[in-house]
Amino acid sequence: MDLGPPAKRQRTDNVEIVRSSEIWHSDGSVVLQAGCTQFRVHWSVLSLHSSFFRDLQGLPQPPNEPKVDGCPVIEVSDSSEDVETVLKALYDPLFFLQQSLSLSVIASHIRLNFRKYELKKIWSIVVERLAYENPSTLEGYDGLRGPGSGYYKPSKFKAYKGCYMDILTLAKENNLLAVLPCAYYRVLLAYTQAQIFDGVQRPDGTQATLVSVTR
């Protein structure tokens, strides 16, 4: 990966802007800014995967628009973590060949696709992972359980305490209707009534909750 110099900082309206140390291509042609982080990438890569950026590239740019190293700056409303995750995948053709991905990575791709970026091929890949683990038929559900004991262990994402609650929330927020029935059922099997109402602590100390659940 062709990365540019170490992260540099600038200030705009008293906000410190940081160049990404992970995604900063010295020959990039456009800078995406998410929050206070800038990513220098290529129009050609964005346009190849996203009709949103393909259309955006064709729009005339006002002459007084700010630039960084001669590149136009496109501000996006998404988190820098989500943007960095998706850009890493766009530049790595082997990214989705991994057998298991973290749920946070899957969530980043789903959130950005659902909002506006129309990364259709990637959308299909990440949604397929959730759909595989949350089938819409009883036969599919039974097929995921191991022989004998019927024990289920996900293979398409990395499980952790609270993950089934996070999957249900992700599916609800992004209108993944086919995933919902099984996701609801997994939550009912995995957690006590108290956990469903009060949440479950993830390994990193944060809380997985179903925000729409009320007493």
Side-chain angles (χ1 to χ4, degrees):
M1 182 176 290
D2 177 23
L3 296 178
K8 298 180 180 179
R9 299 174 183 267
Q10 67 185 75
R11 289 183 178 272
T12 304
D13 297 331
N14 297 320
V15 177
E16 190 174 46
I17 305 300
V18 182
R19 291 185 179 184
S20 169
S21 60
E22 295 287 328
I23 310 290
W24 189 268
H25 296 272
S26 59
D27 62 342
S29 52
V30 62
V31 172
L32 299 184
Q33 181 171 322
C36 298
T37 304
Q38 292 181 337
F39 306 88
R40 186 172 180 178
V41 291
H42 302 83
W43 273 121
S44 58
V45 174
L46 298 180
S47 300
L48 177 65
H49 295 280
S50 167
S51 59
F52 171 86
F53 284 110
R54 190 159 54 247
D55 293 340
L56 186 62
Q57 183 183 11
L59 296 177
Q61 298 294 321
N64 59 342
E65 283 295 294
K67 292 188 175 183
V68 171
D69 293 347
C71 300
V73 178
I74 307 298
E75 293 191 37
V76 296
S77 59
D78 311 284
S79 73
S80 59
E81 293 81 5
D82 281 351
V83 171
E84 180 175 290
T85 296
V86 171
L87 290 176
K88 283 181 177 179
L90 294 186
Y91 278 90
D92 181 1
L94 302 180
F95 187 86
F96 288 110
L97 294 183
Q98 300 175 72
Q99 174 65 28
S100 182
L101 293 174
S102 72
L103 188 57
S104 63
V105 167
I106 293 173
S108 291
H109 285 281
I110 288 177
R111 283 193 293 262
L112 264 64
N113 271 281
F114 185 76
R115 287 175 188 169
K116 60 187 176 184
Y117 297 111
E118 299 178 3
L119 300 156
K120 293 182 179 179
K121 292 181 180 179
I122 291 179
W123 169 264
S124 298
I125 292 172
V126 291
V127 170
E128 186 278 333
R129 286 181 180 256
L130 286 189
Y132 176 86
E133 300 292 351
N134 296 273
S136 58
T137 66
L138 182 58
E139 292 79 10
Y141 176 84
D142 288 337
L144 292 179
R145 298 191 295 173
S149 64
Y151 176 72
Y152 163 72
K153 181 180 180 180
S155 60
K156 298 294 185 181
F157 69 89
K158 298 170 184 176
Y160 56 86
K161 192 174 182 180
C163 67
Y164 302 120
M165 204 167 283
D166 286 339
I167 288 173
L168 177 54
T169 299
L170 181 66
K172 289 173 61 180
E173 290 178 347
N174 295 281
N175 205 32
L176 303 178
L177 300 182
V179 171
L180 285 176
C182 188
Y184 273 112
Y185 187 55
R186 292 208 188 284
V187 165
L188 292 174
L189 290 179
Y191 309 115
T192 65
Q193 184 181 46
Q195 288 175 321
I196 290 174
F197 279 104
D198 298 332
V200 177
Q201 189 176 60
R202 303 184 185 96
D204 63 1
T206 59
Q207 199 81 349
T209 60
L210 298 177
V211 293
S212 62
V213 173
T214 56
R215 293 187 183 276

